[in-house]
């Protein structure tokens, strides 16, 4: 599989809870990070998802927000992963930010050019990747 | 908190309904606009969300669509906020549209360059920001 | 209705299942493709959605991922539509990919410039559009 989504994390399902339509899947990546995903119950069945199953968690760069100075704030977004800006590519309207996490993983975020300025992002600065659970896709190789 | 999401609205929770996995949160902003958000039930608990609680509603610009000539159409997107194009920045592929709402709030939308042409957007033209409830993040400062 | 979302598909509701907060709507397009959407139960009521009702399925280009070499992979994303790259427009950071489906429909995807290179996308190459059900908006004209 090759996918345009810049973020593909290998891991295993570490928790799973289901409702009548939606389900919540927690993936612990090989780098030790945790990603929560909400998917449909239909996908849980179709992919045969159970705790312990190896999966990939896929996140489009445009679904990733970048936060700085997050102390004292709690967000409904279930995934807040703090690291360091490794790379910054700025275009006329859009920009791409790569955040390196302590466990070795890298997260790509597509944001607006203005956001990089307002947040004062530069290589080496601390930053938190914020991802809604509904933006995380689960993939299975079998 | 500084966040790359271009849209951060201060407000209070005006309604809240919960399911086993998902919950629906309605925020009335200080400008008098209403935003509906679907988040996980886990986030409702983690943030201690109740009606009346002051929160921020956060929306990434790339999650905002722009609609014109919307009469006679109903959308499942719970948030349709009509105002006037205040600013338009157009790049080679992407464009940024700022819509000013009657209550004083501004909404940033990242769209394609082609969309701005096809919709005939220009400063001063009427436009509706369309946002799915699942694209709205709730933040709490305590 | 004119909307910045690049993907607007005419069709009819072919299946509908509801939970307390969320609902899953399946739309069969006039081109014969099937799109699954998760929306709130409130929207199902507000739009009066029932099986057989003519609707439009709306998807923002930035919500569409592009996959190649997808054999042996199952994704939780409910919508995987395989076709051929018809057009490719590449900017400094962003790129737009148009995928033509066998039934005649076209799907627009906004991806990063780097993704188009890594996937080796070019006009005529096979590609799959991957869309999460939560990224599909349902519109009704009455």
């Amino acid at each position: 599989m090759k996918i345009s989504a810049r973020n593909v994390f290998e891991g295993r399902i570490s928790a799973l809870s289901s409702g009548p339509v939606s389900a919540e899947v927690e993936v612990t990546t090989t780098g030790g990070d945790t990603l929560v995903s909400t998917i449909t119950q239909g996908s849980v069945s179709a992919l045969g998802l159970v705790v312990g199953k190896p999966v990939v968690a896929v996140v489009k760069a445009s679904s990733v927000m970048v936060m700085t100075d997050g102390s004292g704030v709690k967000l409904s977004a279930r995934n807040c992963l703090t690291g360091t800006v490794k790379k910054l590519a700025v275009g006329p309207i859009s920009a791409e930010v790569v955040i390196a996490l302590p466990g070795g993983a890298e997260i790509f975020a597509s944001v607006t050019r203005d956001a990089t300025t307002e947040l004062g992002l530069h290589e080496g600065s601390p930053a938190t990747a914020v991802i809604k659970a509904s933006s995380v896709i689960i993939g299975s190789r079998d």
Side-chain angles (χ1 to χ4, degrees), chain A residues 31-87:
Chain A
D33 299 302
T34 300
L35 280 166
V36 175
S37 165
T38 43
I39 61 179
T40 60
Q41 189 56 36
S43 292
V44 171
S45 305
L47 274 69
L49 299 183
V50 290
V51 171
K53 189 180 172 83
V55 293
V56 287
V58 178
V59 185
K60 211 167 156 38
S62 62
S63 298
V64 182
M65 282 155 280
V66 179
M67 182 173 65
T68 57
D69 304 329
S71 60
V73 174
K74 286 194 279 190
L75 293 177
S76 65
R78 300 298 297 280
N79 302 296
C80 294
L81 302 162
T82 298
T84 305
V85 175
K86 186 182 175 182
K87 197 185 138 198

Side-chain angles (χ1 to χ4, degrees), chain A residues 76-125:
Chain A
S76 65
R78 300 298 297 280
N79 302 296
C80 294
L81 302 162
T82 298
T84 305
V85 175
K86 186 182 175 182
K87 197 185 138 198
L88 193 63
V90 179
I93 301 288
S94 306
E96 190 177 73
V97 183
V98 183
I99 298 174
L101 299 184
E106 294 181 358
I107 297 185
F108 287 70
S110 288
V111 302
T112 60
R113 178 199 178 91
D114 289 352
T116 61
T117 312
E118 287 180 28
L119 270 67
L121 297 180
H122 55 86
E123 286 176 25
S125 66

